[in-house]
Amino acid sequence: MAKPSIRENFLRIQERIAAAASRVGRRSEDITFIGVSKSHPAIAVQEAFQAGVRHFGENRVQEWEVKCVGTNNLAATWHLIGHLQSNKAAKAAKLFHTVDSLDDLALAQKLDRARTAPGFSAKLRVLIEVRVAQEETKSGAEIAALPELAEKIAALPQLELTGLMCIPPYLLDAAQVRPYFRRLRELRDELLGKLGMPLPVLSMGMSHDFEVAIEEGATEVRVGTALFGGRTALPAEH
Ligand SMILES: *Cc1c(COP(=O)(O)O)cnc(C)c1O
C-alpha cells in the first residue's frame, strides 16, 4: 500500500480531534491544529497548506530561516515551538508570529526589544513553556517561578502573553501523560486568579497523545509525525 498523503493524514487527524473534543463536550473549532514541520522540506509545508493546515511549528530558528524562503507565499501562522537560544532571539522575533516555548525573562526582554524596532505593528504572541515534569533535560520554566515570570512577561509592551505550553515526558501509554496535561490546565487557572488576566491558550499534545491533551483542555495541539510522517534525527543546533 502507498504511503498516505499529508492530506489523508490531516483528514484522519481532524476526525480524531473531533472525536476527542466531543467526548468531553468541546467543539473542534476551538482547537487549533499546528503542523510541526521541523526536518521536513518547504514542499511538505506547501502540501500541508493545500490540505488546509494554517498553523506551522518549527523548533530551530536556523532551519526555519532557510526553509521560510520556500513558504513565504503562504498566509499561515508560524510558531516557534523549540528551545530558543539567546543569540537567536532577535531573529526569532522577526521570523515567527508566536514564540510558544518562552521560559526565561531575559529572553522575553530580548524578544520585546527586537519587536520595538520599526516595521512591527502587531505584538509578538508568546506562551510560557512550563516544566511539568521534574526532569533534568527538559526545558521550560519551573512551576514555582511561574507566577512571577508570567507577571513580568505580561508587562512587556511588545509581547502578548496568551497562555502556557508543555512537553510532558514521552510515555508510550498516552493515558499516563494525562496528569501532566491536567497540571498545566490547573496552573493556568491558578494564574488567572493570581494575575487577574485571562490565559486562554493551552498548547499541549503531540502525535501520540493529542487526544488525551484535548480531553484535558488543550486549545492547540502540535502534531508532526502523524501529519508529515517520520523524521530523521538532526544534529544539535550551534
Ligand atoms: C517535534 C515536536 C512536536 C511534534 O512531535 P510529534 O511527536 O512528531 O508529533 C511537538 N512539540 C514540540 C515542542 C516538538 O519539538
Side-chain angles (χ1 to χ4, degrees), residues 57-221:
E58 287 279 338
N59 67 341
R60 289 157 195 252
V61 176
Q62 267 172 330
E63 182 185 339
W64 179 237
E65 193 179 14
V66 176
K67 198 190 294 185
C68 69
V69 175
T71 58
N72 56 19
N73 59 322
L74 305 177
T77 301
W78 312 110
H79 297 240
L80 179 66
I81 61 171
H83 178 67
L84 176 59
Q85 290 170 316
S86 174
N87 62 350
K88 302 212 174 68
K91 214 169 250 176
K94 279 198 201 88
L95 294 175
F96 292 94
H97 294 114
T98 163
V99 174
D100 299 353
S101 47
L102 196 54
D103 60 1
D104 176 78
L105 181 62
L107 208 50
Q109 288 165 333
K110 279 198 173 175
L111 290 171
D112 181 63
R113 238 175 285 134
R115 276 272 170 156
T116 309
F120 292 110
S121 46
K123 291 185 178 194
L124 177 67
R125 191 194 84 149
V126 296
L127 307 178
I128 297 179
E129 181 182 344
V130 184
R131 193 185 308 178
V132 286
Q134 298 309 312
E135 287 173 68
E136 286 296 316
T137 52
K138 291 273 183 194
S139 53
E142 295 283 353
I143 287 173
L146 185 58
E148 196 186 335
L149 182 63
E151 193 171 16
K152 290 189 168 150
I153 290 177
L156 294 171
Q158 302 305 320
L159 302 187
E160 185 181 15
L161 175 64
T162 63
L164 304 179
M165 182 271 226
C166 74
I167 310 172
Y170 188 95
L171 297 165
L172 281 179
D173 177 5
Q176 289 182 0
V177 198
R178 190 181 295 277
Y180 297 103
F181 293 143
R182 191 169 291 168
R183 186 82 183 102
L184 195 72
R185 174 163 47 86
E186 289 168 356
L187 286 168
R188 190 273 308 274
D189 295 345
E190 287 166 23
L191 274 182
L192 176 66
K194 279 185 190 134
L195 305 184
M197 60 186 281
L199 292 170
V201 177
L202 288 176
S203 174
M204 53 190 198
M206 304 171 32
S207 287
H208 72 294
D209 58 14
F210 68 84
E211 286 146 310
V212 179
I214 288 168
E215 289 172 10
E216 293 300 329
T219 64
E220 299 186 358
V221 292

Side-chain angles (χ1 to χ4, degrees), residues 36 38 59 81 167 206-207 222-225 231:
V36 177
K38 65 186 184 201
N59 67 341
I81 61 171
I167 310 172
M206 304 171 32
S207 287
R222 310 178 308 267
V223 176
T225 310
R231 295 179 291 271

